[in-house]
């Protein structure tokens, strides 16, 4: 699959949008299915994760999609680049999405992220009022949605979101293993 890392409203992005909304794309893509759309958006999040790794950050990427199926923003881990402990992919992406959307409430939005969000990010997703979170790999130690705390899904907070996990999980795990394997080989972690 070729991933367009250019402008969010490129011709390829328009085809993805039409495909996921069930419009005719001239036969260039398979018939739309929810899981197919999830994989398409997750592939973009994986491209962000790869970019994070190339900048020396943990490879986690995120894409925020509006209720209408339009990409609002992308983000990647930038903790090392910005020396900011809060610069996780989800935080970077939802901040940019709120700016694009013109409001902090991202009602109806779906967030695609390559790794199950941590407690900070899951809390931010609750506060942003997203409708759905789709993640790639589970994070048994730090994942705060399904692996540890149930943030956003357990009914204890003022907002809940739907969640789906395991979308392109193998690709997400491979990026993480490769990244940490290179760090260990270099004696850095």
């Amino acid at each position: 699959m070729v991933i367009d890392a250019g402008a969010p409203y490129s011709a390829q992005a328009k085809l993805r949008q039409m495909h996921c909304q069930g419009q005719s794309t001239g036969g260039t893509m398979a018939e739309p299915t929810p899981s197919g759309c999830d994989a398409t958006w997750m592939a973009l999040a994986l491209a962000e994760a790869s970019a994070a790794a190339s900048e020396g950050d943990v490879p986690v990427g995120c894409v925020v999609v509006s209720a209408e199926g339009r990409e609002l923003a992308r983000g990647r881990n930038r903790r090392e680049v910005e020396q900011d402990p809060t610069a996780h992919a989800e935080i970077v992406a939802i901040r940019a999405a709120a700016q694009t959307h013109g409001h902090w409430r991202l009602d109806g939005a779906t967030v695609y992220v390559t790794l199950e969000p941590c407690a900070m990010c899951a809390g931010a997703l609750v506060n942003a009022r997203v409708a759905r979170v789709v993640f790639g790999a589970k994070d048994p130690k730090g994942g705060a949605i399904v692996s540890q705390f149930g943030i956003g899904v357990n009914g204890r907070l003022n907002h809940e979101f739907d969640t789906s996990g395991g979308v392109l999980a193998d690709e997400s795990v491979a990026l993480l293993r490769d990244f940490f394997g290179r760090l260990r080989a270099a004696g850095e972690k």
Side-chain angles (χ1 to χ4, degrees), residues 38 41-42 45 61-66 73 89-91 93-94 97 106 108-114 117 121 125 128-136 161-164:
D38 287 350
W41 290 114
M42 188 63 74
C62 183
V63 177
V64 181
V65 179
S66 73
E90 302 93 324
I91 301 297
I94 63 175
L106 299 175
T110 299
V111 173
Y112 294 88
V113 60
T114 58
C121 294
L125 294 166
R129 307 298 198 270
V130 302
R132 186 168 175 245
V133 176
V134 179
F135 64 87
F161 45 72
D162 293 331
T163 189
S164 299

Side-chain angles (χ1 to χ4, degrees), residues 80-164:
E80 299 297 331
V81 171
E82 295 181 10
Q83 293 300 296
D84 177 357
T86 68
H88 288 202
E90 302 93 324
I91 301 297
V92 171
I94 63 175
R95 284 179 177 159
Q99 291 297 309
T100 299
H101 184 58
H103 201 279
W104 63 269
R105 291 182 75 109
L106 299 175
D107 293 321
T110 299
V111 173
Y112 294 88
V113 60
T114 58
L115 182 65
E116 180 185 357
C118 70
M120 174 183 71
C121 294
L125 294 166
V126 166
N127 285 321
R129 307 298 198 270
V130 302
R132 186 168 175 245
V133 176
V134 179
F135 64 87
K138 283 186 179 180
D139 184 351
K141 292 182 182 179
I145 294 177
V146 298
S147 294
Q148 292 294 331
F149 308 112
I151 296 173
V153 296
N154 66 10
R156 294 184 191 156
L157 299 173
N158 61 333
H159 176 74
E160 290 184 357
F161 45 72
D162 293 331
T163 189
S164 299

Side-chain angles (χ1 to χ4, degrees), residues 15-16 18-38 40:
L15 281 174
R16 281 191 301 272
M18 289 170 60
H19 166 71
C20 290
Q21 291 176 345
Q23 299 172 12
S24 172
T25 58
T28 60
M29 295 181 152
E31 289 302 310
T33 63
S35 61
C37 291
D38 287 350
T40 299

